[in-house]
Amino acid sequence: MVYFNNAATTYPKPAAVYEAMDEYYRNNAGSLGRGGKEMKSAGTLVADTRQLLKELLHTSLHEVIFTPTATLALNMIIQGLMKRPVKNVYITPFEHNAVTRVLHAYADKINLRILAVNKDCSFDLERIGYQFADCQPDLVIMSHASNVIGVITPVAEVFALAKKYEAITVVDMAQTAGLVDFDIAKAKCDFAVFAGHKTLYGPTGISGFLMNPDVELPTILYGGTGIDSANQDMPKDIPARYEMGTPNMVAIAGLHAALMKLKENNISSYYWQEQDNRKHLLDVLNNYDFVRLVGINNNLDYVGVVSFIIDGISSDSAGQLFSRLGVELRTGLHCAPLAHEFLGTYPAGTIRTSVGIYTNEEDLLRLNDSLYYIKSNL
């Protein structure tokens, strides 16, 4: 089986990630805030990992909060902000259900608007400026890169416009953290969400968000934090206020190893390796006239996610065929129905291929062989 589903989770991980997780589980028994000597070891690991994330995203202001998944992080942010006087909410047409389903739950409370995006997937900043002037934003949420077509969105430019109205800004970096060099402080991001198991090349079970501590985020989750246990209110300090329950220390160990590897190799090397693999992927797909690429604009920047449709075969049927041929990819709506409505691929969805830094020539040859087989049997 060759792997083209890196947008779901990157595979494989650096060897150091596997080694760090195994070493931590075998040699440490501590739980953060709930022990003696081992607690100190866990505390150092967590603090170091937070610092690495801050360095990666070029911030000293933001606080790092760990969650099990990016979906939970987005829920904590959005549902917490819904306790504030938030009315006018803007999103891109590329948002994941981790955003849109949460907002749908508050449909009777908010006025939801879609940022102006042209049919070629470019953002119309002039029209967005008019949108904001006509209906002043309270909250703007943007995926940094679409998980359907991989297009990188102009987060800094849009947030600069939003901040003229003192809007709260949230960027979903699930597809870009650790891959696209991005300064969340300069881009005026109040919240930046990351997924440890995607472009950071860490394990599942550890994600989170960085937050501007000057923005009041009411809590929606409660529980033990290992400190101030007599107080039935959540701690006021950040990150303790938002980190309840036992943290996934082995996953944090894996994420720490992944961040150290990234720091050693430099983020630009990851980006350009993935860009090179994306180019070779497009070369393979463009060899076949029955393949129709979706959402490609050569004037825009992309991560290594490419969606396409095969003439005469539904996406789901094609997915089953690729699976039988030993190619792991993803088909359907990819948890982003708004994106497919915008792209004209709803409700059938697309075939999504996504490369990573470890995609190699053998993988691409196997994909090419699969497409040749499909062409020969259409």
Side-chain angles (χ1 to χ4, degrees):
M1 183 70 71
V2 295
Y3 192 74
F4 284 94
N5 198 18
N6 287 279
T9 189
T10 49
Y11 177 82
K13 312 297 183 183
V17 173
Y18 304 128
E19 293 164 2
M21 295 175 72
D22 182 70
E23 192 278 334
Y24 190 89
Y25 242 154
R26 292 179 186 278
N27 298 301
N28 296 275
S31 179
L32 185 65
R34 296 163 178 84
K37 177 182 176 183
E38 293 293 347
M39 180 191 75
K40 184 177 180 181
S41 174
T44 299
L45 177 63
V46 169
D48 287 349
T49 308
R50 293 193 211 276
Q51 183 58 35
L52 286 168
L53 286 162
K54 287 185 176 186
E55 291 174 6
L56 177 67
L57 296 176
H58 305 285
T59 182
S60 58
L61 167 68
H62 294 72
E63 298 285 355
V64 178
I65 290 86
F66 288 121
T67 61
T69 67
T71 296
L72 182 57
L74 285 161
N75 268 266
M76 291 172 67
I77 295 166
I78 298 170
Q79 293 201 58
L81 293 174
M82 289 300 114
K83 291 187 174 185
R84 295 174 46 134
V86 169
K87 182 65 176 178
N88 299 321
V89 181
Y90 286 85
I91 62 173
T92 77
F94 304 118
E95 299 310 310
H96 191 278
N97 275 341
V99 170
T100 58
R101 280 181 172 169
V102 185
L103 293 173
H104 178 72
Y106 293 91
D108 59 345
K109 171 181 168 63
I110 63 173
N111 173 27
L112 183 62
R113 294 184 172 228
I114 307 297
L115 293 165
V117 180
N118 300 313
K119 283 300 180 183
D120 65 358
C121 298
S122 63
F123 280 64
D124 191 328
L125 295 175
E126 184 177 8
R127 283 174 57 205
I128 290 171
Y130 290 139
Q131 284 182 301
F132 288 172
D134 179 62
C135 182
Q136 296 187 8
D138 298 311
L139 172 62
V140 179
I141 306 172
M142 295 182 68
S143 285
H144 194 197
S146 166
N147 76 315
V148 176
I149 58 173
V151 66
I152 299 174
T153 63
V155 172
E157 292 86 343
V158 175
F159 283 3
L161 295 173
K163 281 301 179 182
K164 294 179 180 179
Y165 304 93
E166 300 183 347
I168 299 170
T169 53
V170 181
V171 59
D172 178 358
M173 299 185 68
Q175 298 294 335
T176 57
L179 179 67
V180 178
D181 197 9
F182 188 63
D183 189 323
I184 65 171
K186 284 185 179 179
K188 303 182 185 302
C189 304
D190 291 316
F191 297 90
V193 175
F194 64 90
H197 65 105
K198 297 196 179 191
T199 46
L200 286 167
Y201 285 86
T204 55
I206 186 64
S207 296
F209 59 97
L210 288 82
M211 70 172 288
N212 177 355
D214 292 334
V215 176
E216 174 62 22
L217 179 67
T219 52
I220 63 164
L221 298 175
Y222 303 85
T225 56
I227 59 172
D228 197 19
S229 296
N231 185 356
Q232 290 302 285
D233 292 320
M234 291 298 287
K236 297 298 183 185
D237 294 340
I238 303 173
R241 186 180 184 186
Y242 307 106
E243 291 184 347
M244 66 300 301
T246 301
N248 189 343
M249 289 303 306
V250 70
I252 292 175
L255 178 59
H256 181 272
L259 289 165
M260 290 296 293
K261 188 71 173 178
L262 175 59
K263 186 175 182 178
E264 174 189 333
N265 290 333
N266 192 291
I267 190 171
S268 64
S269 70
Y270 280 30
Y271 177 77
W272 289 113
Q273 180 61 59
E274 183 168 296
Q275 288 296 300
D276 188 55
N277 288 335
R278 177 179 180 270
K279 177 185 179 299
H280 292 308
L281 170 62
L282 288 171
D283 288 343
V284 170
L285 296 174
N286 282 322
N287 278 333
Y288 297 92
D289 56 10
F290 62 86
V291 169
R292 179 162 63 89
L293 300 178
V294 176
I296 298 292
N297 180 343
N298 292 329
N299 295 316
L300 301 177
D301 294 324
Y302 290 78
V303 295
V305 180
V306 179
S307 270
F308 64 94
I309 294 169
I310 293 179
D311 293 336
I313 304 178
S314 71
S315 295
D316 285 344
S317 296
Q320 295 171 19
L321 182 54
F322 276 112
S323 182
R324 291 200 300 271
L325 294 171
V327 177
E328 175 72 17
L329 41 70
R330 188 172 176 187
T331 63
L333 297 178
H334 319 117
C335 300
L338 282 185
H340 290 278
E341 290 177 7
F342 173 81
L343 295 164
T345 52
Y346 185 88
T350 60
I351 304 160
R352 186 184 74 184
T353 46
S354 47
V355 296
I357 62 172
Y358 295 115
T359 304
N360 57 41
E361 184 178 0
E362 175 63 25
D363 298 330
L364 292 160
L365 287 171
R366 288 278 299 280
L367 177 63
N368 184 71
D369 289 346
S370 299
L371 288 165
Y372 184 80
Y373 175 87
I374 293 171
K375 177 183 178 179
S376 302
N377 289 275
L378 277 176

